Amino acid sequence: MASALSLTRIIMVLRIGFLSLAPMGSFAQKDAPSSSFCTYNESTQTWKIGNAAVQRIVHFDAERGSLKTTEFTNAPGRAVIADLSASDATIDIIDMDGKAKSLSLEKDWGFAWQVVGRPEHGGRTLTIHLQGSRANAGFEIEAMYEVWAKDSPMMTKTITLINRKEKPV
């Protein structure tokens, strides 16, 4: 019964994809890396994930408890996409009593762990796990960023909300 209960607690997966429409040839750079990468700066809690075509910089602000993409570059060293949202996700939920609530990654999260993987397509995945505090207590978030290998301009973000509260939402 415990496994069935835990499956019902994962309530939402949101997949957001970004595909650059620039021609593939325009991403060619003499010094560009030939494969994907993911780096982590522990002192600043900042990650860089990308390849020769795209790069995303994600930062966790421990003081605010927020996770945010601080920079998204289309072809590293070239165009920076300036219009970034204040948060990497906002999720609207409705509890069993019919009350609506918005969960945003702007505040009230604690960094729990991170893992970097190499999917079959040869790119990289970065999963950042957050635990809710204060207004978000009882919820957890897994933010997964994925980039394809070499110079593919495809990058995705998947947000998973996990409900650890007694009541379902």
Side-chain angles (χ1 to χ4, degrees), residues 103-138:
L103 299 174
S104 172
L105 294 183
E106 286 186 57
K107 63 179 182 172
D108 295 339
W109 297 98
F111 173 70
W113 51 264
Q114 56 132 0
V115 65
V116 175
R118 185 183 288 272
E120 289 182 19
H121 56 67
R124 290 282 194 282
T125 59
L126 164 64
T127 302
I128 302 169
H129 190 93
L130 306 174
Q131 293 179 324
S133 63
R134 297 181 292 274
N136 299 325

PDB file of all heavy atoms in Angstrom, residues 103-138:
ATOM      1  N   LEU A 103       2.590  27.610  -6.230  1.00  0.00           N
ATOM      2  CA  LEU A 103       3.931  27.282  -5.746  1.00  0.00           C
ATOM      3  C   LEU A 103       4.917  27.808  -6.778  1.00  0.00           C
ATOM      4  O   LEU A 103       4.869  27.424  -7.938  1.00  0.00           O
ATOM      5  CB  LEU A 103       4.102  25.764  -5.600  1.00  0.00           C
ATOM      6  CG  LEU A 103       3.176  25.051  -4.629  1.00  0.00           C
ATOM      7  CD1 LEU A 103       3.377  23.550  -4.708  1.00  0.00           C
ATOM      8  CD2 LEU A 103       3.419  25.539  -3.221  1.00  0.00           C
ATOM      9  N   SER A 104       5.788  28.691  -6.354  1.00  0.00           N
ATOM     10  CA  SER A 104       6.775  29.277  -7.240  1.00  0.00           C
ATOM     11  C   SER A 104       8.164  28.904  -6.748  1.00  0.00           C
ATOM     12  O   SER A 104       8.382  28.734  -5.547  1.00  0.00           O
ATOM     13  CB  SER A 104       6.622  30.801  -7.237  1.00  0.00           C
ATOM     14  OG  SER A 104       7.690  31.388  -7.935  1.00  0.00           O
ATOM     15  N   LEU A 105       9.086  28.800  -7.666  1.00  0.00           N
ATOM     16  CA  LEU A 105      10.479  28.524  -7.282  1.00  0.00           C
ATOM     17  C   LEU A 105      11.214  29.804  -6.898  1.00  0.00           C
ATOM     18  O   LEU A 105      12.428  29.805  -6.765  1.00  0.00           O
ATOM     19  CB  LEU A 105      11.211  27.801  -8.413  1.00  0.00           C
ATOM     20  CG  LEU A 105      10.707  26.396  -8.715  1.00  0.00           C
ATOM     21  CD1 LEU A 105      11.547  25.739  -9.798  1.00  0.00           C
ATOM     22  CD2 LEU A 105      10.705  25.538  -7.470  1.00  0.00           C
ATOM     23  N   GLU A 106      10.469  30.896  -6.674  1.00  0.00           N
ATOM     24  CA  GLU A 106      11.074  32.176  -6.296  1.00  0.00           C
ATOM     25  C   GLU A 106      11.524  32.235  -4.843  1.00  0.00           C
ATOM     26  O   GLU A 106      12.391  33.025  -4.500  1.00  0.00           O
ATOM     27  CB  GLU A 106      10.093  33.323  -6.545  1.00  0.00           C
ATOM     28  CG  GLU A 106       9.934  33.663  -7.996  1.00  0.00           C
ATOM     29  CD  GLU A 106       9.076  34.886  -8.182  1.00  0.00           C
ATOM     30  OE1 GLU A 106       9.420  35.933  -7.616  1.00  0.00           O
ATOM     31  OE2 GLU A 106       8.071  34.786  -8.897  1.00  0.00           O
ATOM     32  N   LYS A 107      10.888  31.438  -3.944  1.00  0.00           N
ATOM     33  CA  LYS A 107      11.286  31.498  -2.536  1.00  0.00           C
ATOM     34  C   LYS A 107      10.751  30.276  -1.784  1.00  0.00           C
ATOM     35  O   LYS A 107       9.886  29.562  -2.266  1.00  0.00           O
ATOM     36  CB  LYS A 107      10.787  32.777  -1.869  1.00  0.00           C
ATOM     37  CG  LYS A 107       9.276  32.900  -1.807  1.00  0.00           C
ATOM     38  CD  LYS A 107       8.858  34.175  -1.103  1.00  0.00           C
ATOM     39  CE  LYS A 107       7.341  34.228  -1.026  1.00  0.00           C
ATOM     40  NZ  LYS A 107       6.865  35.311  -0.228  1.00  0.00           N
ATOM     41  N   ASP A 108      11.294  30.070  -0.588  1.00  0.00           N
ATOM     42  CA  ASP A 108      10.854  29.038   0.357  1.00  0.00           C
ATOM     43  C   ASP A 108      11.155  27.609  -0.085  1.00  0.00           C
ATOM     44  O   ASP A 108      10.353  26.699   0.121  1.00  0.00           O
ATOM     45  CB  ASP A 108       9.356  29.189   0.688  1.00  0.00           C
ATOM     46  CG  ASP A 108       9.065  30.488   1.425  1.00  0.00           C
ATOM     47  OD1 ASP A 108      10.001  31.061   2.022  1.00  0.00           O
ATOM     48  OD2 ASP A 108       7.907  30.935   1.406  1.00  0.00           O
ATOM     49  N   TRP A 109      12.349  27.401  -0.664  1.00  0.00           N
ATOM     50  CA  TRP A 109      12.826  26.064  -1.008  1.00  0.00           C
ATOM     51  C   TRP A 109      14.215  25.871  -0.419  1.00  0.00           C
ATOM     52  O   TRP A 109      14.980  26.817  -0.288  1.00  0.00           O
ATOM     53  CB  TRP A 109      12.877  25.866  -2.524  1.00  0.00           C
ATOM     54  CG  TRP A 109      11.526  25.952  -3.150  1.00  0.00           C
ATOM     55  CD1 TRP A 109      10.978  27.043  -3.758  1.00  0.00           C
ATOM     56  CD2 TRP A 109      10.536  24.937  -3.189  1.00  0.00           C
ATOM     57  NE1 TRP A 109       9.708  26.762  -4.171  1.00  0.00           N
ATOM     58  CE2 TRP A 109       9.402  25.466  -3.836  1.00  0.00           C
ATOM     59  CE3 TRP A 109      10.481  23.621  -2.734  1.00  0.00           C
ATOM     60  CZ2 TRP A 109       8.244  24.740  -4.049  1.00  0.00           C
ATOM     61  CZ3 TRP A 109       9.325  22.893  -2.953  1.00  0.00           C
ATOM     62  CH2 TRP A 109       8.220  23.445  -3.601  1.00  0.00           C
ATOM     63  N   GLY A 110      14.530  24.647  -0.093  1.00  0.00           N
ATOM     64  CA  GLY A 110      15.865  24.305   0.384  1.00  0.00           C
ATOM     65  C   GLY A 110      16.505  23.324  -0.576  1.00  0.00           C
ATOM     66  O   GLY A 110      15.859  22.392  -1.063  1.00  0.00           O
ATOM     67  N   PHE A 111      17.776  23.529  -0.879  1.00  0.00           N
ATOM     68  CA  PHE A 111      18.519  22.632  -1.772  1.00  0.00           C
ATOM     69  C   PHE A 111      18.781  21.321  -1.043  1.00  0.00           C
ATOM     70  O   PHE A 111      19.305  21.311   0.070  1.00  0.00           O
ATOM     71  CB  PHE A 111      19.831  23.292  -2.192  1.00  0.00           C
ATOM     72  CG  PHE A 111      20.736  22.392  -2.976  1.00  0.00           C
ATOM     73  CD1 PHE A 111      20.407  22.029  -4.264  1.00  0.00           C
ATOM     74  CD2 PHE A 111      21.904  21.913  -2.418  1.00  0.00           C
ATOM     75  CE1 PHE A 111      21.239  21.187  -5.000  1.00  0.00           C
ATOM     76  CE2 PHE A 111      22.746  21.087  -3.140  1.00  0.00           C
ATOM     77  CZ  PHE A 111      22.408  20.723  -4.436  1.00  0.00           C
ATOM     78  N   ALA A 112      18.406  20.195  -1.649  1.00  0.00           N
ATOM     79  CA  ALA A 112      18.603  18.880  -1.034  1.00  0.00           C
ATOM     80  C   ALA A 112      19.751  18.120  -1.694  1.00  0.00           C
ATOM     81  O   ALA A 112      20.683  17.690  -1.025  1.00  0.00           O
ATOM     82  CB  ALA A 112      17.311  18.066  -1.098  1.00  0.00           C
ATOM     83  N   TRP A 113      19.680  17.929  -3.001  1.00  0.00           N
ATOM     84  CA  TRP A 113      20.729  17.208  -3.718  1.00  0.00           C
ATOM     85  C   TRP A 113      20.648  17.500  -5.210  1.00  0.00           C
ATOM     86  O   TRP A 113      19.707  18.092  -5.689  1.00  0.00           O
ATOM     87  CB  TRP A 113      20.661  15.700  -3.468  1.00  0.00           C
ATOM     88  CG  TRP A 113      19.322  15.044  -3.689  1.00  0.00           C
ATOM     89  CD1 TRP A 113      18.381  14.778  -2.730  1.00  0.00           C
ATOM     90  CD2 TRP A 113      18.763  14.577  -4.926  1.00  0.00           C
ATOM     91  NE1 TRP A 113      17.283  14.179  -3.307  1.00  0.00           N
ATOM     92  CE2 TRP A 113      17.497  14.040  -4.654  1.00  0.00           C
ATOM     93  CE3 TRP A 113      19.221  14.566  -6.244  1.00  0.00           C
ATOM     94  CZ2 TRP A 113      16.680  13.492  -5.628  1.00  0.00           C
ATOM     95  CZ3 TRP A 113      18.400  14.024  -7.235  1.00  0.00           C
ATOM     96  CH2 TRP A 113      17.156  13.481  -6.912  1.00  0.00           C
ATOM     97  N   GLN A 114      21.681  17.037  -5.917  1.00  0.00           N
ATOM     98  CA  GLN A 114      21.757  17.182  -7.370  1.00  0.00           C
ATOM     99  C   GLN A 114      22.409  15.944  -7.956  1.00  0.00           C
ATOM    100  O   GLN A 114      23.181  15.267  -7.277  1.00  0.00           O
ATOM    101  CB  GLN A 114      22.581  18.415  -7.734  1.00  0.00           C
ATOM    102  CG  GLN A 114      23.970  18.384  -7.140  1.00  0.00           C
ATOM    103  CD  GLN A 114      25.063  18.704  -8.129  1.00  0.00           C
ATOM    104  OE1 GLN A 114      24.827  18.960  -9.285  1.00  0.00           O
ATOM    105  NE2 GLN A 114      26.305  18.686  -7.660  1.00  0.00           N
ATOM    106  N   VAL A 115      22.084  15.641  -9.185  1.00  0.00           N
ATOM    107  CA  VAL A 115      22.724  14.524  -9.880  1.00  0.00           C
ATOM    108  C   VAL A 115      22.824  14.876 -11.364  1.00  0.00           C
ATOM    109  O   VAL A 115      21.941  15.521 -11.927  1.00  0.00           O
ATOM    110  CB  VAL A 115      21.959  13.189  -9.669  1.00  0.00           C
ATOM    111  CG1 VAL A 115      20.582  13.234 -10.284  1.00  0.00           C
ATOM    112  CG2 VAL A 115      22.749  12.008 -10.188  1.00  0.00           C
ATOM    113  N   VAL A 116      23.939  14.484 -11.972  1.00  0.00           N
ATOM    114  CA  VAL A 116      24.160  14.693 -13.405  1.00  0.00           C
ATOM    115  C   VAL A 116      24.176  13.323 -14.062  1.00  0.00           C
ATOM    116  O   VAL A 116      24.842  12.406 -13.580  1.00  0.00           O
ATOM    117  CB  VAL A 116      25.489  15.433 -13.670  1.00  0.00           C
ATOM    118  CG1 VAL A 116      25.764  15.544 -15.165  1.00  0.00           C
ATOM    119  CG2 VAL A 116      25.458  16.809 -13.027  1.00  0.00           C
ATOM    120  N   GLY A 117      23.426  13.184 -15.135  1.00  0.00           N
ATOM    121  CA  GLY A 117      23.375  11.915 -15.859  1.00  0.00           C
ATOM    122  C   GLY A 117      23.751  12.091 -17.313  1.00  0.00           C
ATOM    123  O   GLY A 117      23.853  13.202 -17.824  1.00  0.00           O
ATOM    124  N   ARG A 118      23.979  10.955 -17.964  1.00  0.00           N
ATOM    125  CA  ARG A 118      24.270  10.943 -19.402  1.00  0.00           C
ATOM    126  C   ARG A 118      23.233  10.044 -20.075  1.00  0.00           C
ATOM    127  O   ARG A 118      23.350   8.833 -20.048  1.00  0.00           O
ATOM    128  CB  ARG A 118      25.672  10.435 -19.687  1.00  0.00           C
ATOM    129  CG  ARG A 118      26.022  10.534 -21.169  1.00  0.00           C
ATOM    130  CD  ARG A 118      27.385   9.953 -21.473  1.00  0.00           C
ATOM    131  NE  ARG A 118      28.464  10.779 -20.975  1.00  0.00           N
ATOM    132  CZ  ARG A 118      29.028  11.779 -21.659  1.00  0.00           C
ATOM    133  NH1 ARG A 118      28.577  12.086 -22.844  1.00  0.00           N
ATOM    134  NH2 ARG A 118      30.022  12.452 -21.158  1.00  0.00           N
ATOM    135  N   PRO A 119      22.204  10.652 -20.686  1.00  0.00           N
ATOM    136  CA  PRO A 119      21.174   9.857 -21.348  1.00  0.00           C
ATOM    137  C   PRO A 119      21.705   9.162 -22.600  1.00  0.00           C
ATOM    138  O   PRO A 119      22.810   9.452 -23.064  1.00  0.00           O
ATOM    139  CB  PRO A 119      20.087  10.876 -21.691  1.00  0.00           C
ATOM    140  CG  PRO A 119      20.733  12.204 -21.597  1.00  0.00           C
ATOM    141  CD  PRO A 119      21.940  12.069 -20.734  1.00  0.00           C
ATOM    142  N   GLU A 120      20.889   8.269 -23.160  1.00  0.00           N
ATOM    143  CA  GLU A 120      21.305   7.486 -24.324  1.00  0.00           C
ATOM    144  C   GLU A 120      21.703   8.348 -25.518  1.00  0.00           C
ATOM    145  O   GLU A 120      22.558   7.963 -26.308  1.00  0.00           O
ATOM    146  CB  GLU A 120      20.193   6.523 -24.740  1.00  0.00           C
ATOM    147  CG  GLU A 120      20.007   5.381 -23.764  1.00  0.00           C
ATOM    148  CD  GLU A 120      18.932   4.422 -24.232  1.00  0.00           C
ATOM    149  OE1 GLU A 120      18.584   4.412 -25.432  1.00  0.00           O
ATOM    150  OE2 GLU A 120      18.445   3.664 -23.384  1.00  0.00           O
ATOM    151  N   HIS A 121      21.093   9.523 -25.669  1.00  0.00           N
ATOM    152  CA  HIS A 121      21.412  10.374 -26.821  1.00  0.00           C
ATOM    153  C   HIS A 121      22.769  11.060 -26.681  1.00  0.00           C
ATOM    154  O   HIS A 121      23.196  11.776 -27.574  1.00  0.00           O
ATOM    155  CB  HIS A 121      20.304  11.397 -27.078  1.00  0.00           C
ATOM    156  CG  HIS A 121      19.975  12.285 -25.913  1.00  0.00           C
ATOM    157  ND1 HIS A 121      20.835  13.223 -25.399  1.00  0.00           N
ATOM    158  CD2 HIS A 121      18.848  12.356 -25.155  1.00  0.00           C
ATOM    159  CE1 HIS A 121      20.264  13.848 -24.400  1.00  0.00           C
ATOM    160  NE2 HIS A 121      19.049  13.339 -24.219  1.00  0.00           N
ATOM    161  N   GLY A 122      23.461  10.858 -25.547  1.00  0.00           N
ATOM    162  CA  GLY A 122      24.819  11.358 -25.390  1.00  0.00           C
ATOM    163  C   GLY A 122      24.939  12.737 -24.777  1.00  0.00           C
ATOM    164  O   GLY A 122      26.039  13.227 -24.560  1.00  0.00           O
ATOM    165  N   GLY A 123      23.814  13.374 -24.500  1.00  0.00           N
ATOM    166  CA  GLY A 123      23.853  14.690 -23.881  1.00  0.00           C
ATOM    167  C   GLY A 123      24.055  14.590 -22.379  1.00  0.00           C
ATOM    168  O   GLY A 123      24.720  13.685 -21.872  1.00  0.00           O
ATOM    169  N   ARG A 124      23.462  15.530 -21.647  1.00  0.00           N
ATOM    170  CA  ARG A 124      23.546  15.545 -20.181  1.00  0.00           C
ATOM    171  C   ARG A 124      22.174  15.871 -19.604  1.00  0.00           C
ATOM    172  O   ARG A 124      21.391  16.617 -20.200  1.00  0.00           O
ATOM    173  CB  ARG A 124      24.505  16.627 -19.692  1.00  0.00           C
ATOM    174  CG  ARG A 124      25.963  16.384 -19.979  1.00  0.00           C
ATOM    175  CD  ARG A 124      26.546  15.362 -18.996  1.00  0.00           C
ATOM    176  NE  ARG A 124      27.979  15.338 -19.004  1.00  0.00           N
ATOM    177  CZ  ARG A 124      28.725  14.751 -19.920  1.00  0.00           C
ATOM    178  NH1 ARG A 124      28.167  14.189 -20.945  1.00  0.00           N
ATOM    179  NH2 ARG A 124      30.040  14.751 -19.814  1.00  0.00           N
ATOM    180  N   THR A 125      21.922  15.333 -18.426  1.00  0.00           N
ATOM    181  CA  THR A 125      20.776  15.739 -17.623  1.00  0.00           C
ATOM    182  C   THR A 125      21.295  16.232 -16.281  1.00  0.00           C
ATOM    183  O   THR A 125      22.257  15.694 -15.743  1.00  0.00           O
ATOM    184  CB  THR A 125      19.771  14.590 -17.372  1.00  0.00           C
ATOM    185  OG1 THR A 125      20.432  13.521 -16.698  1.00  0.00           O
ATOM    186  CG2 THR A 125      19.148  14.103 -18.661  1.00  0.00           C
ATOM    187  N   LEU A 126      20.666  17.273 -15.780  1.00  0.00           N
ATOM    188  CA  LEU A 126      20.960  17.802 -14.464  1.00  0.00           C
ATOM    189  C   LEU A 126      19.648  17.788 -13.692  1.00  0.00           C
ATOM    190  O   LEU A 126      18.673  18.401 -14.133  1.00  0.00           O
ATOM    191  CB  LEU A 126      21.496  19.241 -14.555  1.00  0.00           C
ATOM    192  CG  LEU A 126      21.497  20.058 -13.255  1.00  0.00           C
ATOM    193  CD1 LEU A 126      22.428  19.441 -12.217  1.00  0.00           C
ATOM    194  CD2 LEU A 126      21.862  21.507 -13.543  1.00  0.00           C
ATOM    195  N   THR A 127      19.614  17.083 -12.572  1.00  0.00           N
ATOM    196  CA  THR A 127      18.419  17.060 -11.732  1.00  0.00           C
ATOM    197  C   THR A 127      18.767  17.726 -10.408  1.00  0.00           C
ATOM    198  O   THR A 127      19.736  17.343  -9.750  1.00  0.00           O
ATOM    199  CB  THR A 127      17.929  15.623 -11.480  1.00  0.00           C
ATOM    200  OG1 THR A 127      17.672  15.006 -12.744  1.00  0.00           O
ATOM    201  CG2 THR A 127      16.667  15.608 -10.643  1.00  0.00           C
ATOM    202  N   ILE A 128      17.973  18.733 -10.033  1.00  0.00           N
ATOM    203  CA  ILE A 128      18.148  19.456  -8.778  1.00  0.00           C
ATOM    204  C   ILE A 128      16.912  19.186  -7.930  1.00  0.00           C
ATOM    205  O   ILE A 128      15.789  19.435  -8.376  1.00  0.00           O
ATOM    206  CB  ILE A 128      18.318  20.970  -9.020  1.00  0.00           C
ATOM    207  CG1 ILE A 128      19.534  21.224  -9.935  1.00  0.00           C
ATOM    208  CG2 ILE A 128      18.456  21.719  -7.698  1.00  0.00           C
ATOM    209  CD1 ILE A 128      19.638  22.647 -10.443  1.00  0.00           C
ATOM    210  N   HIS A 129      17.113  18.660  -6.727  1.00  0.00           N
ATOM    211  CA  HIS A 129      15.996  18.321  -5.841  1.00  0.00           C
ATOM    212  C   HIS A 129      15.903  19.363  -4.729  1.00  0.00           C
ATOM    213  O   HIS A 129      16.884  19.643  -4.049  1.00  0.00           O
ATOM    214  CB  HIS A 129      16.197  16.926  -5.236  1.00  0.00           C
ATOM    215  CG  HIS A 129      15.006  16.418  -4.509  1.00  0.00           C
ATOM    216  ND1 HIS A 129      14.058  15.630  -5.126  1.00  0.00           N
ATOM    217  CD2 HIS A 129      14.586  16.593  -3.242  1.00  0.00           C
ATOM    218  CE1 HIS A 129      13.105  15.333  -4.246  1.00  0.00           C
ATOM    219  NE2 HIS A 129      13.415  15.915  -3.097  1.00  0.00           N
ATOM    220  N   LEU A 130      14.711  19.928  -4.576  1.00  0.00           N
ATOM    221  CA  LEU A 130      14.457  20.953  -3.572  1.00  0.00           C
ATOM    222  C   LEU A 130      13.385  20.478  -2.603  1.00  0.00           C
ATOM    223  O   LEU A 130      12.453  19.782  -3.007  1.00  0.00           O
ATOM    224  CB  LEU A 130      13.976  22.247  -4.236  1.00  0.00           C
ATOM    225  CG  LEU A 130      14.848  22.825  -5.340  1.00  0.00           C
ATOM    226  CD1 LEU A 130      14.156  24.018  -5.999  1.00  0.00           C
ATOM    227  CD2 LEU A 130      16.208  23.228  -4.802  1.00  0.00           C
ATOM    228  N   GLN A 131      13.502  20.886  -1.340  1.00  0.00           N
ATOM    229  CA  GLN A 131      12.487  20.597  -0.331  1.00  0.00           C
ATOM    230  C   GLN A 131      11.842  21.903   0.092  1.00  0.00           C
ATOM    231  O   GLN A 131      12.531  22.893   0.329  1.00  0.00           O
ATOM    232  CB  GLN A 131      13.109  19.897   0.873  1.00  0.00           C
ATOM    233  CG  GLN A 131      13.598  18.511   0.526  1.00  0.00           C
ATOM    234  CD  GLN A 131      14.238  17.818   1.704  1.00  0.00           C
ATOM    235  OE1 GLN A 131      14.903  18.448   2.514  1.00  0.00           O
ATOM    236  NE2 GLN A 131      14.049  16.511   1.784  1.00  0.00           N
ATOM    237  N   GLY A 132      10.502  21.882   0.179  1.00  0.00           N
ATOM    238  CA  GLY A 132       9.768  23.083   0.541  1.00  0.00           C
ATOM    239  C   GLY A 132       9.955  23.452   2.000  1.00  0.00           C
ATOM    240  O   GLY A 132      10.085  22.592   2.869  1.00  0.00           O
ATOM    241  N   SER A 133       9.982  24.748   2.260  1.00  0.00           N
ATOM    242  CA  SER A 133      10.017  25.253   3.630  1.00  0.00           C
ATOM    243  C   SER A 133       8.992  26.373   3.727  1.00  0.00           C
ATOM    244  O   SER A 133       8.469  26.841   2.716  1.00  0.00           O
ATOM    245  CB  SER A 133      11.417  25.765   3.987  1.00  0.00           C
ATOM    246  OG  SER A 133      11.778  26.863   3.177  1.00  0.00           O
ATOM    247  N   ARG A 134       8.691  26.799   4.934  1.00  0.00           N
ATOM    248  CA  ARG A 134       7.709  27.853   5.202  1.00  0.00           C
ATOM    249  C   ARG A 134       6.457  27.646   4.343  1.00  0.00           C
ATOM    250  O   ARG A 134       5.748  26.671   4.516  1.00  0.00           O
ATOM    251  CB  ARG A 134       8.337  29.236   5.013  1.00  0.00           C
ATOM    252  CG  ARG A 134       9.477  29.504   6.011  1.00  0.00           C
ATOM    253  CD  ARG A 134      10.107  30.876   5.852  1.00  0.00           C
ATOM    254  NE  ARG A 134      10.864  31.090   4.645  1.00  0.00           N
ATOM    255  CZ  ARG A 134      12.150  30.773   4.482  1.00  0.00           C
ATOM    256  NH1 ARG A 134      12.824  30.230   5.455  1.00  0.00           N
ATOM    257  NH2 ARG A 134      12.762  31.030   3.359  1.00  0.00           N
ATOM    258  N   ALA A 135       6.180  28.520   3.409  1.00  0.00           N
ATOM    259  CA  ALA A 135       4.949  28.443   2.605  1.00  0.00           C
ATOM    260  C   ALA A 135       4.869  27.184   1.744  1.00  0.00           C
ATOM    261  O   ALA A 135       3.786  26.764   1.360  1.00  0.00           O
ATOM    262  CB  ALA A 135       4.828  29.680   1.718  1.00  0.00           C
ATOM    263  N   ASN A 136       6.006  26.569   1.446  1.00  0.00           N
ATOM    264  CA  ASN A 136       6.030  25.382   0.584  1.00  0.00           C
ATOM    265  C   ASN A 136       6.273  24.083   1.353  1.00  0.00           C
ATOM    266  O   ASN A 136       6.569  23.050   0.750  1.00  0.00           O
ATOM    267  CB  ASN A 136       7.094  25.546  -0.504  1.00  0.00           C
ATOM    268  CG  ASN A 136       6.817  26.725  -1.400  1.00  0.00           C
ATOM    269  OD1 ASN A 136       5.663  27.033  -1.682  1.00  0.00           O
ATOM    270  ND2 ASN A 136       7.856  27.406  -1.833  1.00  0.00           N
ATOM    271  N   ALA A 137       6.185  24.131   2.679  1.00  0.00           N
ATOM    272  CA  ALA A 137       6.435  22.939   3.503  1.00  0.00           C
ATOM    273  C   ALA A 137       5.513  21.804   3.069  1.00  0.00           C
ATOM    274  O   ALA A 137       4.336  22.012   2.779  1.00  0.00           O
ATOM    275  CB  ALA A 137       6.223  23.271   4.976  1.00  0.00           C
ATOM    276  N   GLY A 138       6.078  20.617   3.007  1.00  0.00           N
ATOM    277  CA  GLY A 138       5.310  19.438   2.613  1.00  0.00           C
ATOM    278  C   GLY A 138       5.390  19.115   1.131  1.00  0.00           C
ATOM    279  O   GLY A 138       4.901  18.090   0.689  1.00  0.00           O
TER     280      GLY A 138
END
